[in-house]
């Protein structure tokens, strides 16, 4: 199968591209705008054709989609804190970008997978969200992702586009940009920087190893029913404070580095997904959180070539804006 993987230079997209090219023999074309989060290095070991462009640009999409059998859309602005500070790009990429891709897929009668998030359901105190739960997003990030999901659903319903939506829980693993909780805490622990825990740190996330998510998206692509959404939730839930403590233990860093900082505005307390529907397609998670976290810490420890340019570049200014303090100088 020839796949157009949009946002394939990012964390989950590059993992998906690697698995599809290596294990399924798919031809992979990556279309990526290369924002701060897009890194061609993440595709060093992936057989692919690269097209530099934005999903909201019909000419770039038209060039990249030539000969494709299906489109899988990972491209998005993905960080909640950045969406609170500057929502503009979130609206453009998630809304206009998804629209341009849907039109291109519709014109050509292509199968389409929209990669989405559990955050579209909002926060849940107890129990887990199913695909029939109402969408109640709370941040500009999750609201624009929910808007994109609704647009995708309308193309399936109105035009009969063979579109499926795949909603993952919090993913973690190699190649994740260190603005997100786990890689941020791992790199700070390795460098002796403070580990900034928002509020009381008792927010709960449902952790999903990135390869498990990528395989789930593959199941939805191959076997998903048009017009359906599929939740892909990780096997374990964990409060942030415990995640951070485990990272301190795995890196051997001091507990003194842990620091409570002001909470994120509108912070969702808990996410939890029921994944029964995707299990009917034969998917199940393979990596428990304890094992995946250990693998992830080892990967960051061994792959400074990947994160060093990030930690010494634009990220430093972002970090200072976000946390009001500088990272320790690169050693
Ligand atoms: P990421 O931020 O690591 O990567 C996003 C990629 O999209 C980057 O390569 C970036 O350059 C590219 N991109 C951004 N805007 C673009 C545009 N307008 N046109 C073309 N390319 C563009 O994100 P990720 O964590 O890999 O997430 C991928 C998808 O999975 C997103 O849609 C996200 O909402 C969803 N998701 C992420 C998680 C998670 O925990 N990271 C969980 C569930 C769902
Ligand atoms: P994040 O990785 O940004 O994912 P999301 O907000 O999409 O779930 O954050 C995961 C959790 O970690 C979330 O509850 C916010 C919290 N967090 C911190 O406590 N400190 C931090 O520096 C960051 C980035 C996140």
């Amino acid at each position: 199968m020839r796949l157009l993987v949009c946002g394939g230079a990012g964390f989950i997209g590059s993992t998906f591209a690697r698995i599809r090219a290596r294990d399924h023999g798919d031809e992979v074309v990556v279309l990526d705008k290369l924002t701060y989060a897009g890194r061609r290095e993440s595709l060093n070991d992936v057989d692919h054709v690269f097209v530099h462009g934005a999903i909201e640009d019909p000419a770039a999409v038209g060039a990249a989609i030539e000969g494709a059998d299906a489109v899988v859309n990972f491209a998005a602005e993905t960080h909640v804190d950045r969406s609170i500070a500057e929502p503009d790009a979130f609206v453009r990429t998630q809304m206009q970008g998804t629209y341009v891709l849907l039109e291109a897929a519709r014109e050509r009668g292509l199968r389409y997978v929209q990669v989405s998030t559990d955050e579209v359901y909002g926060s849940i105190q107890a129990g887990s969200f199913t695909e029939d739960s109402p969408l109640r997003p709370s941040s500009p990030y999750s609201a624009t992702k929910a808007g994109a999901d609704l647009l995708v659903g309308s193309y399936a319903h109105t035009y009969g586009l063979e579109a499926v939506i795949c909603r993952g829980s919090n993913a973690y693993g190699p190649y994740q940009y260190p603005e997100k909780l786990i890689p941020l805490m791992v790199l700070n622990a390795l460098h002796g920087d403070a580990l900034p825990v928002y509020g009381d740190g008792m927010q709960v996330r449902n952790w999903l190893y990135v390869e498990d998510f990528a395989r789930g998206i593959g199941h939805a692509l191959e076997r998903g029913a048009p017009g359906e959404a599929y939740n892909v939730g990780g096997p374990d839930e964990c409060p942030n404070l415990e995640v951070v403590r485990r990272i301190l233990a795995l890196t051997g860093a001091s507990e003194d580095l842990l620091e409570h900082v002001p909470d994120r505005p509108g912070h969702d307390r808990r996410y939890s997904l029921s994944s029964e529907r995707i299990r009917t397609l034969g998917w199940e998670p393979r990596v428990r959180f304890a094992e995946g976290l250990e693998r992830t810490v080892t990967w960051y420890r061994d792959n400074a070539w990947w994160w060093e340019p990030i930690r010494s570049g634009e990220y430093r200014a972002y970090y200072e804006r976000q946390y009001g303090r500088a990272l320790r100088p690169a050693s």
Side-chain angles (χ1 to χ4, degrees):
M1 191 163 23
R2 186 175 167 96
L3 296 178
L4 174 59
V5 180
C6 303
F11 165 49
I12 306 166
S14 62
T15 305
F16 177 82
R18 179 176 302 105
I19 289 176
R20 296 304 306 192
R22 186 189 62 200
D23 303 343
H24 299 260
D26 289 329
E27 278 178 60
V28 171
V29 178
V30 168
L31 172 65
D32 200 293
K33 189 177 178 177
L34 296 179
T35 67
Y36 73 93
R39 318 233 21 246
R40 285 203 66 179
E41 305 91 299
S42 302
L43 292 163
N44 276 354
D45 61 341
V46 178
D47 191 9
H48 71 287
V49 171
F50 187 81
V51 180
H52 186 195
I55 57 168
E56 63 270 25
D57 175 358
V61 170
I65 207 168
E66 186 72 38
D69 300 303
V71 177
V72 186
N73 182 27
F74 293 86
E77 291 290 337
T78 60
H79 191 38
V80 172
D81 293 325
R82 290 191 197 243
S83 85
I84 294 169
E86 287 178 80
D88 193 73
F90 289 73
V91 176
R92 192 171 338 110
T93 292
Q94 267 84 298
M95 301 309 310
Q96 185 68 16
T98 301
Y99 161 70
V100 169
L101 284 181
L102 286 168
E103 277 296 309
R106 174 163 88 94
E107 269 170 31
R108 295 163 180 82
L110 302 182
R111 196 163 165 86
Y112 182 97
V113 179
Q114 177 76 0
V115 180
S116 186
T117 165
D118 57 0
E119 300 190 32
V120 297
Y121 300 116
S123 191
I124 189 166
Q125 259 190 332
S128 301
F129 289 119
T130 71
E131 293 81 355
D132 299 324
S133 301
L135 304 191
R136 289 206 182 95
S138 36
S139 70
Y141 164 64
S142 52
T144 52
K145 290 297 293 183
D149 282 11
L150 294 176
L151 196 61
V152 172
S154 80
Y155 270 64
H157 183 80
T158 305
Y159 304 116
L161 183 75
E162 262 195 53
V164 298
I165 298 170
C166 207
R167 297 188 178 125
S169 60
N170 278 69
Y172 69 101
Y175 301 102
Q176 186 170 30
Y177 196 83
E179 65 193 350
K180 305 283 167 42
L181 179 75
I182 288 180
L184 182 147
M185 297 296 179
V186 171
L187 292 187
N188 281 18
L190 291 176
H191 288 82
D193 280 303
L195 273 53
V197 172
Y198 294 160
D200 63 6
M202 293 312 290
Q203 304 84 3
V204 172
R205 296 295 183 263
N206 183 183
W207 293 102
L208 173 65
Y209 194 62
V210 64
E211 289 177 7
D212 280 338
F213 190 14
R215 282 190 308 100
I217 295 161
H219 278 66
L221 168 70
E222 289 174 4
R223 298 170 217 167
E228 286 284 24
Y230 294 87
N231 290 343
V232 184
D236 296 293
E237 296 182 14
C238 192
N240 295 339
L241 209 48
E242 192 186 323
V243 174
V244 173
R245 291 220 167 95
R246 287 187 189 208
I247 290 171
L248 286 170
L250 286 166
T251 53
S254 162
E255 288 251 346
D256 296 345
L257 290 177
L258 198 158
E259 191 172 299
H260 287 270
V261 300
D263 210 350
R264 170 188 281 172
H267 199 169
D268 284 335
R269 201 71 185 158
R270 177 171 173 263
Y271 298 137
S272 179
L273 283 183
S274 155
S275 309
E276 292 313 308
R277 189 177 283 167
I278 188 104
R279 283 175 188 271
T280 67
L281 301 184
W283 177 87
E284 58 178 13
R286 291 181 184 161
V287 182
R288 299 295 302 264
F289 187 51
E291 185 196 335
L293 192 61
E294 200 176 330
R295 277 195 211 175
T296 304
V297 170
T298 303
W299 188 86
Y300 279 90
R301 215 198 273 280
D302 293 347
N303 288 279
W305 69 271
W306 186 84
W307 53 256
E308 230 156 31
I310 299 175
R311 249 184 90 100
S312 54
E314 181 269 351
Y315 178 73
R316 299 188 77 81
Y318 157 77
Y319 194 91
E320 230 171 299
R321 279 198 308 278
Q322 178 63 25
Y323 297 97
R325 67 188 317 164
L327 286 169
R328 290 161 72 94
S331 51

